[in-house]
Every structure is written in C-alpha cells, then in structure tokens.
Amino acid sequence: MTVTHDVPARSEVASAAPERAPARRNRQLAAWAFLAPIVVYLFAFYAYPLYRNLDLSLRNYTVRSFVRGDAPFSGLANYTKVFHDPTFGPALLHTVVFTGVSLVFQFSIGMALAVFFAQSFRLSATLRALFLVPWLLPLIVSASTWSWLLNSDSGVVNAALHAAGVEPVNWLTSPQWALTSVIIANIWIGIPFNLVVLYSGLRAVPAEIYEAAALDGATGWATFRRITFPLLRPVSAITLLLGLVYTLKVFDIIWIMTKGGPTDASTTFATWSYRLSFGNLLPAFGPGAAVGNLLIIMALIFGLLYIRIQRRQQP
Amino acid sequence: MIRPLKTAIGVLLTAVMLFPVYWMINVSFTRDTDMRASPPHLFPVHGTLEGYRAVLDQQLPYLGTSLIVGLGTVLLTVALSAPAGYSLAKLRPRGGGVLSFVLLIAQMIPGIIMAMGFYATYLKLGVLNSTAGLILADSTIAVPFGVLIFTAFMSGIPGELLAAAVVDGAGPLRTFWSVVLPVSRNAVVTVSLFAFLWAWSDFVFATTLDGGGAHQPITLGIYHYIGNNNQQWNAIMATAVIASIPATLLLIVAQRYVAAGVTAGAVKD
C-alpha cells in the first residue's frame, strides 16, 4: 500500500506517453512544488532535531555550555560512559523483557480474540469497536487508571487477591513487581491494535478454504493450526514487527506509573534516556542523547526488517 | 457453539477488557471518605460530583490549551500531508520512492529522542513553553501517517477524473484544490481525527517542551494532579474521564475511520 505511486494507473501511462520533454519537466516541477513544504518540514523538524541529538551525544555538555552551545567535542566518551554505567545492564534487560513479554501476550491474546470475533454472532461488530477503547485513550489516562487499580492499599486488584486468599502485592513499589505491573498495563493497551490488524487479516482469508477444510474433517484447533495460522503468517510478521518498533519506544506508561523505579527496577532505555536528560536537577544531556541514539538504532534495525517484509508482500 | 452463547462470551470478554475504564468512571464518582474503603465499593453508591467540580475549578485552562493544540496540529498536518500525498500518488515525482521511505523511517523514531532534539533547538530559539512550539512538535507524530493515508487514498482516484480537469484547463494547483481534495474527504477526516487524538494525548512533548509554560495541555494537568495531591483520586479520575471524551466521540462518530487508520500501514488493501 505504501509504494503504490510507483505503479502508475493504466490511463496515466496512456496519456503520459506522447508528452514532450518540456511538458515532462513542467510536470516534475509541479510534483516537487507540491512536495516542497514537506521536504522543508522533514529537514527542519526531523533531520535537524536528530542531528542536534547526535551532536549532543558527541559533546561534553554542562547546563552552561548547553545554553551557550560551546561544549567541547568529546568523541564517543558519552557512549563509553553509558556502557559502563551500572544502569546499562538492567536497562537493556528490562527493555528486552518489557518488549518481548508485551509482544507475546498482546499478539496471542489479540489473535485469540480476532479468531473469536471473526465468527458471526450478534453484537460482534459493536463489541469489537468497544475493544478499541484502551488503544484510543490518552496514555496518561490509562497509566493513571492502572496506577490506582494496582495501588497497594486501596487498589481493586489487591482487594480481589485478598478475597481469593492471596497476600497483597506491592505492585508499583516493590522491585520484584514494578516491571510486571507496567508490562500488564502495556499489554492491555496493545491488545486492540493486534486484534484489529489480525482481524482484518483473517477477513482476507477466502471462506472456501475453510469450507474445504471442514469437508476434509478439520475442526477447531486443527483448522487454526493448519490453515488460519499459516495463512496469517505475513500479517502476523508485520503486526509483530510494527508492535516491536512501537513497544521499544514506550515511555509514557512506565514514566507515569513508576518513573522507572523503584531504583531502576522498571527502567528501560526510553525512561533512562529521559531521566538522564530531564529527570535530574543536573541534566546529563550528553549521556541521555547517547542512550536515545542506541534506542534509535534498535528501532531502526527492526523497522527496516518490517519495511523489507512489507515490500516483499507487494504483488 | 450456538450463537447466543457466543454473544454472551463476547460481552463477557469485552466487560473484562473494559473493566479498567469502568473503574476509572467509578472512582471519579467516589467520595473521598470511601476512597480507601476495604474492600473498595464496586459501584459509586454514595456518588459525588466533587471530583468533577474540582475539574471545572482547576482544569478548564488545561482543556482549552489541549483543544487549541489539537486543532492547530490538525491544520498543520493536513496542510502538509495532503499536497504531498497528491504528488506522490498522482504526479510521479522523480525520487518520490525515497521520500516515502524516509517518511516510513521517520514514523519509527522514538518520541523522547525527537523531544530531546526539539528541546535543544527550542531553548536556543526561545520558544520553549509556547503553544505554537508544542503544535509543531506534535505534528511530527501525525505527518508521516498523514502522507501515508493521503497517498494510499489518492492513488485510488481514477486518472480520467484528473485528465478531465486538465482538459477543462485546470492546472495542477486547481486540480488539487477543486477535484482531488473534495473527493478525498474520507482521507481528510481520518487524518484529522488521528492528528487531533495524538496531539490531545501527547505527554512526551508536553512534559519536555511545555513543562514550565503558562498554557499547558490536559495531559500535564493530570500529571501534576498525580504528583501534587495523592489523595484526591476522584478528581484525578474525573479529569481522566473528561480527557477521554475525544477518544470516545471519535469511536462513536467515526468508527469505520478509526479501524481504517489502525490497519493502514500494517496491512495492504
């Protein structure tokens, strides 16, 4: 869908063929005139901030030199500093665990729900629309709601556990549970996206295939494993990769619920980078930008993989 | 499985999924004295509006700022991405493929990194804590998505329609304004809805670029609330309920556009 403009419609080819060179030049001029605003915009508001970020990570900034802009060039010193920081190991581990666990649950729950809602029954469309609500809510709303749900003393989750005879859990304030808590909230937010994308993938599977399988005696789980899942593989790959890119950069939920704490227990690269640059009284812009750039590299690796797979699927 | 049973299961699953949303509404009506009740009240039996009264007293300016930021972002996003989409879809610019690729990549850059770069630039230019600065930053969330949607949609406009406009003597600008844009209404709606929602929901840019401003958006209003008065959860949740209104309206008014927006970019047509 993304590169459709490369393939001109038939009628356009016909009309373009007899064009003379000046006409073609005019056309190119018009085409780029329409693109000019966005090109300027991309340079000013994407390329330049990214360049500034790279520059920040390669210089030794203090608050004063940040304002005056005369910080000395320090090469990769910020990166070395970040690699040897005691937070680096935990932050990397938490980023991987947060992303991996979130994806596994979002995807499998989303898939199960998509298969369920693909059946026809009354209210199916309405209920499916309601499932979108968590995805549409502002993250601050979801995060603060989950903070209260998981509150140690007055949260409804602990009340339910108590009713079931389980000891209360310090969800957000104990190091063992903080990461789990933010993962739970993130899974809840991500399920709708997986549901909707996988559902539209399911709808694209021709009904005849299921009919043929039913004639051959396949039922329930066998149909899913042997037919639905293999046919959904391309859509699944894309859903997972896109989910990966989006989950790597999750910042709001973790910051609002735990601020990455207690003591780094739920710190990921995203929250660490923010805390270095903005979370302390003495900002460390250089190291903060360095962590941010590491995050960009991770996102880009999977992002490029996603684009590759998506292009291969174009007819 | 018989159909009514499926509906029942569907309702049950939806109820479980939406329980946190229900709880937010429930808490927003709960009295301060009942807030720490054990076990918590499942319904706001002694419902109160004190939370909402607090919102009206304290949060209206935040809501106003968010509204302005949201509308500004919509205008900027559509103004930038609709012409670009038209060009990429219909005018076959040389190098257009590269531009589409750059836009796809741009979508994947984490917001906090953009925020850091913006912060450094804004500080120098002296536009930190300004509404216009926030609109510019928020638009970066929606512009690549906007171009994607417009390109996809405008590719589907029949070439004959545009050829007819040219025969009538319309130049590219006139064709775009009087033919392409009117038939692309659905794409304009989709892009506007998402641009508004994302700007309204933005927390990252707000907290980095507008944290000390006189006009702050509602996401920061809630954030300060959580930080300041840890006890008044009915007020916090009431603000959260009000901050959720745009999302809810969106779902009710424009459900099909929402589903289209979610799947765009992930699944080919």
Side-chain angles (χ1 to χ4, degrees):
Chain A
M1 189 188 86
T2 49
V3 286
T4 29
H5 58 272
D6 285 340
V7 191
R10 192 175 304 248
S11 59
E12 278 183 87
V13 176
S15 67
E19 256 181 4
R20 299 227 184 100
R24 215 178 308 137
R25 207 177 309 128
N26 276 343
R27 190 200 185 100
Q28 282 298 322
L29 214 63
W32 278 99
F34 276 100
L35 287 178
I38 198 140
V39 171
V40 172
Y41 176 86
L42 280 175
F43 273 104
F45 299 111
Y46 272 98
Y48 187 69
L50 283 179
Y51 160 75
R52 280 293 288 157
N53 206 54
L54 190 66
D55 184 62
L56 279 176
S57 75
L58 297 175
R59 287 173 193 276
N60 184 16
Y61 273 100
T62 59
V63 178
R64 226 180 83 190
S65 58
F66 188 76
V67 177
R68 298 200 330 201
D70 58 354
F73 186 79
S74 63
L76 294 175
N78 284 323
Y79 290 89
T80 328
K81 199 166 154 191
V82 161
F83 280 126
H84 292 101
D85 195 290
T87 305
F88 183 82
L92 180 63
L93 180 70
H94 297 155
T95 307
V96 172
V97 171
F98 179 83
T99 311
V101 176
S102 293
L103 278 185
V104 167
F105 281 94
Q106 285 173 0
F107 179 78
S108 42
I109 297 174
M111 176 71 97
L113 288 167
V115 171
F116 176 77
F117 279 109
Q119 303 165 307
S120 60
F121 55 88
R122 280 189 63 177
L123 291 179
S124 166
T126 315
L127 295 177
R128 204 158 26 83
L130 283 173
F131 257 87
L132 281 171
V133 168
W135 191 77
L136 291 172
L137 291 183
L139 287 174
I140 184 122
V141 167
S142 318
S144 45
T145 303
W146 275 99
S147 294
W148 187 242
L149 284 168
L150 294 173
N151 186 285
S152 299
D153 305 318
S154 319
V156 70
V157 174
N158 271 354
L161 288 180
H162 179 77
V166 183
E167 286 288 299
V169 175
N170 288 322
W171 292 103
L172 300 171
T173 48
S174 73
Q176 307 94 288
W177 288 102
L179 189 62
T180 312
S181 305
V182 292
I183 290 176
I184 292 173
N186 190 53
I187 292 171
W188 183 74
I189 292 163
I191 287 174
F193 172 76
N194 286 266
L195 163 63
V196 172
V197 176
L198 291 170
Y199 176 83
S200 70
L202 274 178
R203 299 295 298 224
V205 176
E208 298 90 63
I209 295 183
Y210 288 114
E211 285 160 18
L215 283 180
D216 288 346
T219 50
W221 177 243
T223 314
F224 176 77
R225 224 180 60 118
R226 305 223 175 261
I227 297 165
T228 314
F229 195 67
L231 281 173
L232 275 189
R233 198 169 289 154
V235 178
S236 302
I238 279 187
T239 314
L240 280 170
L241 276 172
L242 213 55
L244 191 67
V245 174
Y246 289 146
T247 313
L248 272 179
K249 61 182 186 182
V250 166
F251 158 76
D252 317 42
I253 306 160
I254 304 178
W255 189 257
I256 296 159
M257 286 178 72
T258 66
K259 286 208 158 59
T263 58
D264 289 348
S266 54
T267 293
T268 62
F269 273 13
T271 61
W272 188 27
S273 165
Y274 180 84
R275 199 186 61 205
L276 285 169
S277 300
F278 300 105
N280 299 323
L281 281 175
L282 262 185
F285 292 111
V291 174
N293 286 332
L294 293 178
L295 192 61
I296 290 194
I297 293 172
M298 287 161 83
L300 281 190
I301 291 172
F302 295 110
L304 290 174
L305 203 62
Y306 155 77
I307 292 175
R308 217 182 113 97
I309 290 186
Q310 206 205 28
R311 293 222 162 156
R312 219 170 33 202
Q313 285 174 22
Q314 302 284 334
Chain B
M1 243 193 306
I2 44 167
R3 283 185 174 200
L5 187 64
K6 281 183 195 164
T7 304
I9 294 173
V11 170
L12 187 72
L13 289 172
T14 314
V16 170
M17 185 73 179
L18 294 188
F19 178 77
V21 179
Y22 166 71
W23 201 249
M24 166 177 84
I25 299 168
N26 178 28
V27 170
S28 76
F29 287 114
T30 304
R31 291 187 306 186
D32 280 336
T33 42
D34 295 340
M35 202 57 76
R36 302 265 170 191
S38 173
H41 298 306
L42 289 178
F43 308 97
V45 212
H46 306 289
T48 173
L49 289 174
E50 36 184 276
Y52 288 89
R53 228 166 278 139
V55 176
L56 285 181
D57 282 350
Q58 299 157 26
Q59 302 285 347
L60 280 185
Y62 292 105
L63 288 165
T65 307
S66 278
L67 198 63
I68 293 170
V69 170
L71 293 176
T73 308
V74 167
L75 285 180
L76 187 60
T77 304
V78 173
L80 280 164
S81 53
Y86 169 55
S87 178
L88 288 175
K90 287 296 177 200
L91 299 176
R92 287 179 290 139
R94 225 168 279 138
V98 178
L99 189 67
S100 309
F101 183 74
V102 169
L103 284 164
L104 264 182
I105 294 287
Q107 249 182 329
M108 294 168 177
I109 298 164
I112 32 156
I113 287 131
M114 295 293 292
M116 232 177 278
F118 269 114
Y119 181 82
T121 315
Y122 279 14
L123 186 72
K124 208 168 197 172
L125 298 176
V127 288
L128 272 180
N129 302 324
S130 71
T131 310
L134 194 55
I135 291 175
L136 266 177
D138 279 348
S139 71
T140 59
I141 313 173
V143 164
F145 170 83
V147 179
L148 196 82
I149 296 283
F150 278 119
T151 309
F153 190 91
M154 290 170 179
S155 300
I157 298 175
E160 292 83 359
L161 199 63
L162 305 184
V166 173
V167 169
D168 288 347
L173 197 61
R174 196 170 163 77
T175 311
F176 171 68
W177 187 253
S178 318
V179 180
V180 174
L181 216 47
V183 297
S184 306
R185 221 193 68 214
N186 286 358
V188 175
V189 173
T190 308
V191 172
S192 303
L193 288 173
F194 275 90
F196 185 84
L197 192 67
W198 286 333
W200 178 273
S201 312
D202 162 70
F203 172 74
V204 179
F205 287 128
T207 183
T208 45
L209 306 176
D210 196 17
H215 304 286
Q216 297 185 7
I218 188 66
T219 47
L220 287 186
I222 299 178
Y223 189 61
H224 297 322
Y225 241 150
I226 304 176
N228 294 340
N229 44 0
N230 248 322
Q231 305 306 315
Q232 254 200 314
W233 274 90
N234 52 13
I236 298 175
M237 290 293 108
T239 320
V241 169
I242 295 193
S244 311
I245 289 175
T248 315
L249 280 181
L250 202 86
L251 200 62
I252 296 169
V253 179
Q255 202 198 103
R256 63 202 175 103
Y257 297 121
V258 174
V262 177
T263 45
V267 186
K268 56 181 175 162
D269 298 319

